[in-house]
Amino acid sequence: MTISLVEGSFDALIFDCDGTLVDTAPAHLRALQLALEPMDLTMTAEWYYPRGGLTPDALLDDYEELLGRQGLPRKEILERYGVAFQSLVPQIEEVAVIAEIAREWHGRVPMAVASNGERPHVEATLRVTKLLSLFDEVVAAEDVKQGNPAPDVFMEAARRMGVEAGRCVVFEDSDEGLTAARAAGMRAVDIRGYFDPVREG
């Protein structure tokens, strides 16, 4: 299956990063598992994958709720997670069906990446898959007040490109991201109908 876009029906394209342009979920999960190991805690694939669209902080909020305990040393966990994830970046591959859309429209319309992820991770994954140079703008979690499902990252991407929100098409793979794109008044494409990754624990 392919995604067809009609020229003239939009002025800009916005892509989520994790799970949309690049298949990073297994690396994120493994990095979180490694970060939690020193505390004798674990995170299962079954629990993690449905929450892949959350920011790291929101994910840990849910995890604390699962454990029934508050006050995990979040700064330490996130630091270990960041180091572990960067070590796994070389294993990450593009999501071909979506990356091809970016290549096809590069130079024809403005394009941005808008992600709930942190900039070092977003740029590292786009760099290793040789996709970074396709985009005019990269908006990450640090650039906005609220992550998905708030519309902030998509609104900021449109603002930076100088394009009206209603003339943007967004590619997303999570419920939170699709909600955010629609809240921004943008046309949202759920890529899960075109990309079905195999997930292992």
Side-chain angles (χ1 to χ4, degrees):
M1 292 177 69
T2 58
I3 301 172
S4 60
L5 296 170
V6 179
E7 192 162 10
S9 67
F10 61 94
D11 293 334
L13 298 177
I14 302 176
F15 298 79
D16 170 49
C17 182
D18 297 304
T20 298
L21 281 168
V22 286
D23 187 15
T24 54
H28 280 295
L29 172 61
R30 184 60 187 143
L32 285 162
Q33 290 171 335
L34 290 169
L36 292 167
E37 269 183 7
M39 304 167 62
D40 293 322
L41 296 172
T42 191
M43 186 177 286
T44 66
E46 293 77 14
W47 186 88
Y48 171 77
Y49 285 130
R51 295 168 176 81
L54 297 174
T55 63
D57 265 329
L59 183 78
L60 289 175
D61 286 343
D62 280 8
Y63 187 63
E64 286 184 343
E65 190 175 325
L66 172 73
L67 296 177
R69 59 191 274 199
Q70 303 295 312
L72 290 177
R74 196 163 294 198
K75 186 170 183 287
E76 294 174 25
I77 292 171
L78 290 175
E79 283 176 355
R80 286 197 295 267
Y81 156 70
V83 171
F85 181 78
Q86 289 291 332
S87 74
L88 296 167
V89 163
Q91 302 173 21
I92 290 168
E93 297 181 351
E94 68 175 40
V95 176
V97 66
I98 306 301
E100 284 307 315
I101 292 171
R103 291 190 185 97
E104 179 186 351
W105 289 92
H106 173 60
R108 296 167 65 186
V109 296
M111 298 196 306
V113 172
S115 173
N116 251 3
E118 296 170 342
R119 181 172 296 278
H121 301 329
V122 171
E123 291 189 347
T125 58
L126 294 175
R127 195 172 288 114
V128 79
T129 51
K130 297 181 171 56
L131 296 173
L132 185 59
S133 63
L134 297 178
F135 299 99
D136 304 290
E137 301 288 345
V138 175
V139 179
E142 300 95 314
D143 300 318
V144 295
K145 289 183 178 179
Q146 298 183 81
N148 300 339
D152 298 27
V153 289
F154 297 119
M155 295 298 291
E156 178 63 13
R159 186 192 70 78
R160 291 187 184 187
M161 290 188 292
V163 176
E164 290 182 15
R167 296 290 297 173
C168 295
V169 176
V170 173
F171 297 91
E172 256 289 354
D173 73 308
S174 72
D175 292 339
E176 296 88 357
L178 292 164
T179 298
R182 291 173 185 137
M186 300 177 180
R187 175 182 155 200
V189 178
D190 185 348
I191 73 132
R192 291 173 293 192
Y194 306 90
F195 172 64
D196 185 20
V198 176
R199 298 295 184 219
E200 300 173 355

